[in-house]
Amino acid sequence: MKLFSIFDLPAYIIQIPKNNDGMQLFYCLSLILLACTDLVCTSPEYAERLLLQPLPQSSLLASFNFRSNASLTSFEKQHFRYFPRSLGQILQHAQTRELHLRFSTGRWDAESSGTRPWGGAKEGGTGVELWAWVEAETEQKAFAKWITLNNALSGLFCASLNFIDSTRTTRPVMTFQPLGDHSNMSSSNLHLLHGTLPREVVCTENLTPFLKLLPCKGKTGIASLLDGHKLFDASWQSMAIDVRPVCPNDGSECIVEMEQTVDMVLDIARSKRPRDNPIPRPVPWEDLVCDDSKQYPFSPACYPRDVSSGQSWRLSEIFGRTIKGTCLASDSTESPSPPVCINVPHERDVYTSEGALEIKHQNGNSRCYIPPTSQPFELVLPQQANVKSEIPLAHPLLSAERSFTGHGQERGGVQALLTNPSTNHPIEFIYLESLPWFMKPYLHTLKASISNSNSQNKSNPLIKDIYYRPGLDRRRGTQLELHISVPPASTVLLTYDFEKAILRYTEYPPDANRGFDVAPAVIRLIDPPMPSTDSDPSYEQQMYLRTTSLLLPLPTPDFSMPYNVIILTSTVMALAFGSIFNLLVRRFVGADEVEGFDVRKLREKIKGRVMMLRDRFVGKGRGSGHQEKKMQ
């Protein structure tokens, strides 16, 4: 269990408002409580934190973190205070000891934005990803509880988690490690199950139940900034829920911790557009920030300065609203860290609402704020010229790219480029592929090679360990786990071939020609060097990386043929049925047997009609010949 103290925030500069004696007294008392000598307190039952990080190319990373705790005794007795009862009862019914749920959309640009937030530990693959440790005696019982868990979470979060069946479920062996303390449980009774839905679309229907799990239901605190229009307009966003048991080292009672995280990358210029008029328009020339180093021949126009250098924004412009007070204001003094933080240099001016307490970090690149408990909190970052506004971002330890190779509808291939940018240290990681059952890989074609042959060391194999679980048609998918080591400043090319299966026509989705989504590959770094945690004291000890999902085209039949067959068959059946029905129902008799039937009258009527038609045609011929004689 992680412990917090005043020393977790080293050498902060405290700025106290000087225009209010009462507020000065309040802040002084708060600081006295925080600065008790050697006073170490456990994490409170509820804490929240917002971290704002300006990124290049006019982007902003906003990380929301909410943590709710409950003692193990109260959890088992269903005495919930801040821990949501709806989720707690589901976990108890399914006997789930640890849960990790992810909703993600978009793509993280590691080249311009650096490392992922939380080291990728709070990030999932595109769509929905779920893995959990379930307590059961056998694998069959564990899978039955897994299905129960998926169905319950599907209804709770308005998602299609009930579609995670045996074909979309895997049992990773090396990729995932439990984050909770399970020392009191037998490891043989804990079963890890993992499932993905790369086709799932994340929308507002998933955000609303996510906010309902919070104690303040998103009405106050930093959660009041979360708006579906802003969140799902981001270029990349991820929602995470982690539930785990945590036991302190001093032997005190264990707790059940639930951590909710929302990360998003917003485009500042796009977010500042008014909602009632979102059409982008050119900036008026008087509002342009000109680049004086470039001369423009026409006045008053000029070359605009790079938008990423010192761009101005405020919370009400980015999120459409301000922070509405503090959630659970009575417990705010127990918070281990200030609820709002921003990573900007100290030379950059930041304005806030009156009554907020500012805490600057000694590294010169971050500051935090304690907003007033009952007043709206606004944060403004003004435009400043000739001021350092960007913080050097940490480079990722590993970059991964995955794509399809080959052509045709029968076979194909997968290649993954795994690059180690470090020039001094090799990097080891676990590579997990969860493939659908209709994508059948050939394990003997698995190859790993280094693109730069000069740096290849034959004494150290690239693939150190392999775990392969073949798929079964319509029963389970293929699971492939690799322990890979990449030398310094090298790129490993991982390739393998696969065969495409032919599906039944009832197994195709409505948009079959679009293709089938293949889940992203999951990468877990083994013993990575931990970056500095000055700006993020809650940094996870495990680092993950996920590739983008793939779109697999399969042999698709012509779905218009069943329609044509149905029409042709219906026509033939209608003709056959009509003819047979007439033969069976109608009664054929002779003409002389019909009552009141006179053959002579019928002959005379037919003869009269024939004579009338003959006279009509003969009369027309005579009329046309008489007219020709008159013309002559």
Side-chain angles (χ1 to χ4, degrees):
M1 179 178 181
K2 186 169 183 178
L3 302 179
F4 297 93
S5 70
I6 189 63
F7 302 104
D8 290 336
L9 305 174
Y12 280 102
I13 303 173
I14 310 298
Q15 294 185 0
I16 302 176
K18 300 180 179 180
N19 57 352
N20 193 323
D21 296 338
M23 294 301 295
Q24 289 186 14
L25 179 60
F26 170 75
Y27 289 129
C28 290
L29 293 176
S30 300
L31 292 177
I32 292 174
L33 292 175
L34 289 175
C36 294
T37 57
D38 297 336
L39 177 61
V40 179
C41 62
T42 59
S43 57
E45 294 187 8
Y46 177 76
E48 59 183 20
R49 185 167 184 254
L50 169 62
L51 177 63
L52 302 174
Q53 171 68 57
L55 299 176
Q57 299 180 2
S58 182
S59 298
L60 176 67
L61 171 63
S63 296
F64 297 79
N65 182 257
F66 311 91
R67 184 173 299 175
S68 304
N69 298 333
S71 63
L72 186 60
T73 303
S74 61
F75 181 82
E76 293 176 351
K77 294 181 179 180
Q78 296 188 6
H79 294 167
F80 301 102
R81 185 182 180 190
Y82 299 133
F83 197 97
R85 177 182 297 271
S86 57
L87 182 59
Q89 292 179 345
I90 292 175
L91 298 179
Q92 291 181 356
H93 181 70
Q95 296 186 1
T96 303
R97 304 310 176 193
E98 186 170 337
L99 173 70
H100 302 276
L101 178 61
R102 302 289 185 268
F103 299 89
S104 302
T105 57
R107 177 180 175 271
W108 176 267
D109 189 0
E111 295 182 0
S112 61
S113 303
T115 58
R116 288 166 164 79
W118 311 95
K122 306 295 183 183
E123 177 188 351
T126 303
V128 178
E129 184 176 354
L130 172 67
W131 69 96
W133 277 265
V134 179
E135 184 179 7
E137 297 178 356
T138 61
E139 292 187 357
Q140 291 77 12
K141 294 182 179 180
F143 181 75
K145 296 178 180 179
W146 167 257
I147 296 299
T148 302
L149 176 66
N150 294 336
N151 294 334
L153 293 178
S154 176
L156 180 62
F157 292 100
C158 299
S160 302
L161 293 169
N162 55 312
F163 286 95
I164 300 181
D165 53 5
S166 61
T167 60
R168 295 180 173 91
T169 301
T170 57
R171 300 174 182 267
V173 177
M174 300 183 292
T175 305
F176 298 100
Q177 300 294 331
L179 299 178
D181 299 326
H182 304 280
S183 57
N184 296 331
M185 305 176 185
S186 176
S187 58
S188 59
N189 291 336
L190 288 180
H191 301 268
L192 171 62
L193 296 100
H194 175 266
T196 57
L197 287 175
R199 191 184 177 88
E200 183 74 9
V201 178
V202 184
C203 60
T204 310
E205 295 179 353
N206 310 122
L207 176 63
T208 302
F210 185 90
L211 296 178
K212 294 298 182 181
L213 299 179
L214 298 174
C216 299
K217 314 299 181 184
K219 303 299 182 181
T220 58
I222 63 174
S224 59
L225 295 178
L226 293 174
D227 180 29
H229 296 86
K230 297 293 183 179
L231 176 62
F232 298 105
D233 192 46
S235 59
W236 175 83
Q237 67 89 12
S238 175
M239 296 189 301
I241 294 180
D242 300 282
V243 181
R244 59 174 181 170
V246 179
C247 297
N249 298 327
D250 56 0
S252 58
E253 185 180 7
C254 299
I255 63 173
V256 179
E257 179 185 270
M258 186 189 74
E259 194 169 0
Q260 298 176 249
T261 307
V262 178
D263 299 316
M264 67 181 82
V265 176
L266 299 170
D267 184 86
I268 296 178
R270 182 182 179 90
S271 299
K272 291 170 63 175
R273 298 173 189 168
R275 184 177 297 181
D276 56 347
N277 191 10
I279 301 176
R281 289 178 171 80
V283 180
W285 67 269
E286 61 270 10
D287 296 337
L288 286 175
V289 181
C290 300
D291 189 355
D292 299 333
S293 62
K294 299 179 181 179
Q295 298 296 329
Y296 197 78
F298 302 101
S299 180
C302 65
Y303 286 103
R305 185 179 297 171
D306 185 11
V307 295
S308 62
S309 59
Q311 188 172 7
S312 63
W313 52 269
R314 62 176 60 199
L315 289 180
S316 58
E317 292 178 341
I318 298 298
F319 297 98
R321 60 188 70 173
T322 58
I323 298 179
K324 299 178 182 178
T326 304
C327 181
L328 304 178
S330 60
D331 296 339
S332 61
T333 57
E334 301 178 2
S335 178
S337 61
V340 181
C341 296
I342 181 172
N343 290 343
V344 293
H346 290 179
E347 295 81 7
R348 187 86 184 269
D349 293 335
V350 179
Y351 303 119
T352 61
S353 302
E354 183 179 0
L357 174 64
E358 182 181 23
I359 305 175
K360 291 186 177 180
H361 198 273
Q362 64 175 359
N363 60 8
N365 293 329
S366 63
R367 66 188 77 181
C368 296
Y369 297 91
I370 300 179
T373 58
S374 59
Q375 298 178 4
F377 177 75
E378 175 70 295
L379 187 143
V380 181
L381 199 69
Q383 181 77 36
Q384 284 186 269
N386 301 325
V387 175
K388 178 185 176 183
S389 59
E390 296 182 359
I391 299 177
L393 300 175
H395 297 286
L397 302 177
L398 178 71
S399 62
E401 299 179 4
R402 189 177 64 151
S403 60
F404 281 131
T405 60
H407 61 278
Q409 298 293 331
E410 185 178 0
R411 294 180 178 88
V414 175
Q415 69 173 9
L417 295 175
L418 308 170
T419 304
N420 180 13
S422 176
T423 58
N424 301 322
H425 305 284
I427 188 169
E428 295 185 6
F429 55 89
I430 304 298
Y431 182 87
L432 170 63
E433 287 267 20
S434 300
L435 305 177
W437 65 267
F438 48 79
M439 185 176 171
K440 304 177 181 179
Y442 296 127
L443 191 60
H444 70 279
T445 62
L446 179 64
K447 297 180 181 179
S449 59
I450 298 180
S451 59
N452 185 5
S453 59
N454 296 329
S455 62
Q456 185 172 3
N457 190 356
K458 296 182 179 180
S459 61
N460 295 328
L462 301 178
I463 301 179
K464 295 186 175 182
D465 193 7
I466 299 178
Y467 179 83
Y468 176 71
R469 190 185 187 202
L472 300 176
D473 288 352
R474 298 174 179 86
R475 292 180 57 186
R476 74 182 184 197
T478 301
Q479 176 182 338
L480 176 63
E481 289 184 273
L482 305 175
H483 183 181
I484 303 177
S485 176
V486 181
S490 302
T491 299
V492 171
L493 177 62
L494 182 68
T495 60
Y496 62 88
D497 298 334
F498 65 90
E499 181 183 0
K500 303 178 183 179
I502 299 178
L503 306 181
R504 300 166 182 166
Y505 80 94
T506 56
E507 296 174 340
Y508 285 91
D511 52 348
N513 292 307
R514 173 184 174 271
F516 292 79
D517 294 271
V518 179
V522 182
I523 299 174
R524 181 178 68 89
L525 304 184
I526 301 177
D527 298 330
M530 288 292 105
S532 174
T533 59
D534 292 341
S535 60
D536 192 358
S538 301
Y539 204 92
E540 294 289 342
Q541 297 298 320
Q542 295 185 3
M543 299 186 67
Y544 286 87
L545 176 67
R546 285 168 175 80
T547 64
T548 57
S549 58
L550 299 178
L551 200 60
L552 175 66
L554 289 181
T556 305
D558 184 6
F559 287 99
S560 64
M561 289 305 296
Y563 173 78
N564 298 335
V565 170
I566 292 174
I567 295 301
L568 179 60
T569 305
S570 301
T571 304
V572 173
M573 291 181 63
L575 294 175
F577 176 79
S579 302
I580 296 175
F581 183 79
N582 288 333
L583 292 176
L584 295 177
V585 175
R586 290 186 178 181
R587 187 167 61 92
F588 295 92
V589 296
D592 54 348
E593 298 179 4
V594 179
E595 298 180 358
F597 181 78
D598 192 353
V599 180
R600 296 182 180 179
K601 293 182 178 180
L602 179 61
R603 291 177 180 176
E604 292 178 357
K605 185 181 293 186
I606 295 174
K607 185 176 180 182
R609 292 294 182 89
V610 173
M611 294 295 293
M612 184 175 60
L613 292 175
R614 186 191 64 180
D615 294 341
R616 181 180 299 177
F617 285 105
V618 172
K620 288 183 179 181
R622 292 178 179 177
S624 60
H626 184 65
Q627 290 179 359
E628 289 179 359
K629 289 181 179 181
K630 287 184 177 181
M631 292 294 294
Q632 292 178 358

